[in-house]
Amino acid sequence: AAAAIQGLTGLPWVADFRDPWIGNAYAAPLPAPHRAWRAWLERTFVERARACVFASAGVRDEYARRYPHRADGFVTIHNGYDLDDIGAIRGAPRTPTDGRFRLVFTGSIQGIAEARLLVAGLERLLERRPELRDRLRVQLIGWLSPAAEAIAGARLTALAPVVERARRAGHAELGRTDEQ
């Protein structure tokens, strides 16, 4: 819609790609016509947008190699959150006091490959370093696609209490504390 409006009005706009449209290792394979359509859309959006936003420097660099003449307009805005912006998650203290190392993932796990990689990596880590069960907490805050849930759901549950899962929540809800 933004590209169409830009085409009609000439108004500037920013394309927020976040992740790669072409060559995403975690995306399901697409039929050739769909891949061609997606490549055309990507090229059109990159050419028309005033700037393009990506979730990591690696993705931004990939697009800079593909579209070197547009690279000056490519920006990285990392996924994540600013704790000062949204407050403590679900009332947890800002600085953990239990001595455990926490890894927090906020986002969606859509692909089967990334679900398998996450579970296999955690299982292998805890197999090789069982003492980490008492020192590590992995918080998954977000959504797993039905396919990812089928691959990872039961195995992630079996990794409790190392892995804590929470449903997706909005900015305002994440900022609430028990004192509010």
Side-chain angles (χ1 to χ4, degrees):
I5 292 169
Q6 187 277 331
L8 292 171
T9 66
L11 291 171
W13 67 288
V14 174
D16 190 350
F17 283 93
R18 307 303 298 153
D19 297 319
W21 280 22
I22 307 298
N24 186 340
Y26 296 114
L30 299 171
H34 192 155
R35 286 193 314 271
W37 172 249
R38 186 174 279 200
W40 179 83
L41 281 175
E42 175 189 271
R43 191 172 45 257
T44 300
F45 292 172
V46 168
E47 294 297 335
R48 287 188 181 177
R50 170 75 56 92
C52 297
V53 177
F54 304 97
S56 71
V59 175
R60 183 199 64 226
D61 293 348
E62 178 183 327
Y63 273 73
R65 282 189 294 279
R66 200 161 29 225
Y67 305 100
H69 63 289
R70 301 287 296 143
D72 287 347
F74 295 168
V75 178
T76 303
I77 299 177
H78 296 280
N79 289 331
Y81 66 94
D82 181 344
L83 209 47
D84 291 331
D85 181 30
I86 65 170
I89 295 176
R90 295 187 344 236
R94 288 184 187 273
T95 304
T97 58
D98 61 7
R100 293 183 175 118
F101 182 78
R102 280 187 167 65
L103 296 173
V104 179
F105 175 82
T106 57
S108 299
I109 299 176
Q110 298 182 28
I112 293 171
E114 57 190 316
R116 282 187 179 132
L117 184 64
L118 170 67
V119 172
L122 288 170
E123 288 172 339
R124 182 177 286 173
L125 174 67
L126 295 173
E127 179 182 301
R128 290 182 179 178
R129 302 274 311 274
E131 74 278 8
L132 291 180
R133 286 189 174 275
D134 296 326
R135 297 176 34 213
L136 175 66
R137 289 298 172 265
V138 177
Q139 293 177 303
L140 301 177
I141 302 171
W143 174 79
L144 271 68
S145 72
E149 185 69 46
I151 294 295
R155 290 168 67 190
L156 287 172
T157 300
L159 291 171
V162 174
V163 175
E164 301 169 3
R165 292 182 58 193
R167 65 177 177 75
R168 190 182 202 164
H171 223 182
E173 184 178 351
L174 289 174
R176 281 198 323 237
T177 65
D178 291 338
E179 293 130 19
Q180 291 177 317

